[in-house]
Amino acid sequence: MICEGRVVVVTGAGRGIGRQHALELGRQGAAVVVNDLGATLHGEGSTPGPAEEVAAEITDGGGRAVVNGDDVADWAGAQRIVSTALDAFGRLDAVVNNAGFVRDRMFANVTEEEWDSVVRVHLKGHFCVGRAAAAYWRDRAKAGHRHDARIVNTSSGAGLLGSVGQAAYSAAKGAILSLTLVQAAELGRYGVTANAIAPSARTRMTEEVFAATMAPPAAGGFDPMDPSNIAPLVAWLASPLSAGVTGRVFEVEGGRIGVADGWQHGPTVDLGRRWDPAEVGEGVAALLAKAPAPAPVYGAAG
């Protein structure tokens, strides 16, 4: 068991991908804080049922788990999520940020409330829980304690490439990638790594929008869109085995794991003097001739 003795917080762990993360971490020996509001697909309402069911499944299998129902994007709630781990298990070794919901809308139609709510739960939720954990690890490191801690953030193909009809979701998931890079750069001194995943699997968020792609295979056999396929990578990233891997984004779908190659410095043109506006077009044309074509946005017309 690669996470034996570890204590891991998993947010949004009541259903879908987060549920599978929590169950796999439990099987791998981790004590799990199962955080979930039990909200609807669109982030409305709450019920403790889903989180309680996951925790019960872990404990029924001989593992250790407790439930937390706090809002990840609430500052005090995020502190309580971390405190739940410390109170129940005496330590915290990893945070898996997974909580989120969608309110899909074309960019010209999205409302301020829809934008704010999606960015809040995804981006601010990642920030609040990660920040609470980072403060704990930093303070202990300054007191002389050594850590081998982990942050695992959840982005998306929409965050990497954009997705038509998901402006707010794409923007939030893209920002999570940048946040991950900063966390990796800043927290390494405290013994903390930070990585992100961009998973593709069948969840409440995907099975309606991408019904044909997400459907289980009619003939049985390996189901590439089963959300349990994502969990082994997350368990490994949360484990001591991933030490030294930080600031990376992994795409994962079915049996495939890839490393996403993000923004890089590309071709340049330097005149050695100030550009005249009339010259810029020729310079840009030369740059674009050297640069690779951008990957298409998901859902864009081919």
Side-chain angles (χ1 to χ4, degrees):
M1 296 189 290
I2 66 173
C3 292
E4 185 69 39
R6 307 274 283 174
V7 176
V8 184
V9 164
V10 183
T11 70
R15 299 184 177 94
I17 291 175
R19 177 179 185 273
Q20 297 301 328
H21 292 341
L23 295 175
E24 185 61 40
L25 285 160
R27 285 190 290 267
Q28 293 300 324
V32 184
V33 176
V34 182
N35 163 264
D36 202 283
L37 277 176
T40 68
L41 173 61
H42 302 296
E44 298 160 342
S46 64
T47 174
E52 290 174 346
E53 291 172 7
V54 173
E57 189 168 342
I58 292 171
T59 56
D60 288 349
R64 297 182 296 160
V66 294
V67 171
N68 174 279
D70 279 297
D71 179 355
V72 296
D74 177 80
W75 183 262
Q79 303 292 323
R80 287 191 295 270
I81 293 171
V82 170
S83 294
T84 298
L86 303 180
D87 293 343
F89 305 119
R91 59 186 291 164
L92 176 62
D93 299 289
V95 167
V96 178
N97 284 311
N98 171 77
F101 62 81
V102 291
R103 293 190 183 178
D104 292 346
R105 192 82 67 185
M106 299 296 284
F107 179 71
N109 295 326
V110 67
T111 68
E112 181 181 18
E113 186 277 330
E114 289 167 339
W115 178 275
D116 287 348
S117 63
V118 171
V119 171
R120 177 185 182 275
V121 71
H122 287 280
L123 181 55
K124 187 180 178 183
H126 273 59
F127 160 68
C128 286
V129 179
R131 169 64 172 77
Y136 163 73
W137 291 321
R138 178 202 60 202
D139 292 347
R140 282 181 57 82
K142 288 184 175 180
H145 298 278
R146 293 180 61 85
H147 288 292
D148 191 20
R150 307 281 183 266
I151 295 175
V152 183
N153 292 327
T154 304
S155 184
S156 165
L160 291 166
L161 302 176
S163 180
V164 171
Q166 294 187 308
Y169 179 77
S170 298
K173 288 302 192 184
I176 286 168
L177 298 175
S178 297
L179 176 64
T180 302
L181 298 179
V182 175
Q183 289 171 332
E186 292 185 353
L187 301 180
R189 73 192 72 178
Y190 306 125
V192 183
T193 68
N195 295 284
I197 63 167
S200 180
R202 186 170 51 253
T203 69
R204 292 188 299 170
M205 285 193 245
T206 61
E207 62 186 351
E208 293 182 7
V209 179
F210 308 108
T213 302
M214 295 295 160
F222 179 62
D223 180 359
M225 292 302 159
D226 187 327
S228 68
N229 296 328
I230 311 303
L233 172 61
V234 169
W236 183 83
L237 287 171
S239 80
L241 299 178
S242 64
V245 178
T246 194
R248 295 290 188 167
V249 181
F250 296 94
E251 294 184 272
V252 54
E253 174 187 321
R256 179 180 63 85
I257 297 174
V259 178
D261 186 15
W263 292 106
Q264 303 281 347
H265 294 296
T268 62
V269 176
D270 186 356
L271 294 183
R273 59 170 174 79
R274 185 178 184 275
W275 286 76
D276 185 284
E279 299 175 307
V280 171
E282 183 177 350
V284 169
L287 290 176
L288 296 182
K290 299 175 184 177
V297 172
Y298 285 111

